[in-house]
Amino acid sequence: MPPSPGRSSGGSQPGRRNRRRRRRLRTVDETSAGGLVIDGVHGLAAIIGRLDRRGRLLWSLPKGHIEPGETPEQTAVREVAEETGIIGRVVTAIGTIDYWFVAGNRRIHKTVHHFLLDAVGGELSDEDVEVTEVAWVPLGELDEVLAYADERRLVRRALSLRDGDGRGDGLAGGERLGARPTRGSGTEQT
């Protein structure tokens, strides 16, 4: 007897492929905090570089998970220090970014609270195992260097608020201090 229309022949169970395709990922909410830490004297920001799955170095703002009992502001200060070596003082909130991604068998909804921080101490360091490189970057170059559009928008907003002039470059007279991130301790804060 020939197989009936719409059914597969060949021994596989009907609907088996569909069940595999419809496998549900467990959804997890994660909340982090971090921010833009600025050396206002030299017109620089400390950022981090991480390698993506393809081995490309992507520059971003330091951030990490909020620990139990921490406020987002406390987390931002801690994560900036852990990932860059720079001690910061929160000036103001600059915005929240949320996004979705899949890791393993989980679908993750991540919310990241960002703050503007003034650098008040420390020395640039890439000792954190999650960070490939750290760099002081001229404020006027952040828009070209940061890998993620949402972070670039937050930085433009933060610099505009900081300057109070709407330019958003954070530098007197619009001067540009360099072309790309520079690795190393650069500017030590006191």
Side-chain angles (χ1 to χ4, degrees):
M1 178 177 209
S4 59
R7 295 244 181 198
S8 65
S9 61
S12 68
Q13 295 176 354
R16 182 179 213 167
R17 210 166 79 187
N18 288 338
R19 275 197 302 266
R20 219 178 288 141
R21 226 182 285 154
R22 291 182 189 168
R23 180 180 69 120
R24 293 211 128 179
L25 297 175
R26 187 174 57 129
T27 299
V28 177
D29 288 315
E30 292 183 359
T31 306
S32 294
L36 174 64
V37 60
I38 294 177
D39 169 358
V41 173
H42 297 96
L44 302 170
I47 62 172
I48 63 170
R50 291 186 172 132
L51 294 176
D52 71 0
R53 293 179 188 166
R54 296 180 187 161
R56 296 176 300 180
L57 187 64
L58 301 178
W59 293 99
S60 65
L61 300 176
K63 60 191 155 295
H65 292 282
I66 296 176
E67 299 293 334
E70 271 186 332
T71 65
E73 293 86 350
Q74 291 168 328
T75 300
V77 169
R78 178 180 54 79
E79 286 292 339
V80 164
E82 287 177 5
E83 293 189 348
T84 69
I86 302 303
I87 300 165
R89 178 184 55 81
V90 171
V91 175
T92 190
I94 58 174
T96 301
I97 295 173
D98 77 310
Y99 53 95
W100 292 86
F101 64 97
V102 174
N105 63 347
R106 302 178 316 155
R107 185 170 185 246
I108 300 170
H109 177 228
K110 183 142 194 152
T111 302
V112 184
H113 302 280
H114 288 84
F115 298 88
L116 176 63
L117 297 93
D118 279 336
V120 296
E123 186 174 324
L124 202 62
S125 168
D126 63 358
E127 291 184 18
D128 189 303
V129 296
E130 295 178 6
V131 175
T132 305
E133 289 192 42
V134 295
W136 283 115
V137 178
L139 297 176
E141 299 294 330
L142 286 171
D143 208 54
E144 297 169 28
V145 175
L146 290 172
Y148 305 107
D150 287 342
E151 287 188 356
R152 291 191 300 268
R153 278 191 292 275
L154 276 182
V155 166
R156 285 192 300 268
R157 180 174 179 263
L159 295 178
S160 178
L161 289 171
R162 180 179 172 270
D163 295 342
D165 66 2
R167 274 194 345 251
D169 64 1
L171 301 170
E175 88 184 276
R176 294 169 61 93
L177 300 176
R180 289 284 172 239
T182 53
R183 184 173 150 67
S185 61
T187 308
E188 186 168 334
Q189 307 297 317
T190 55

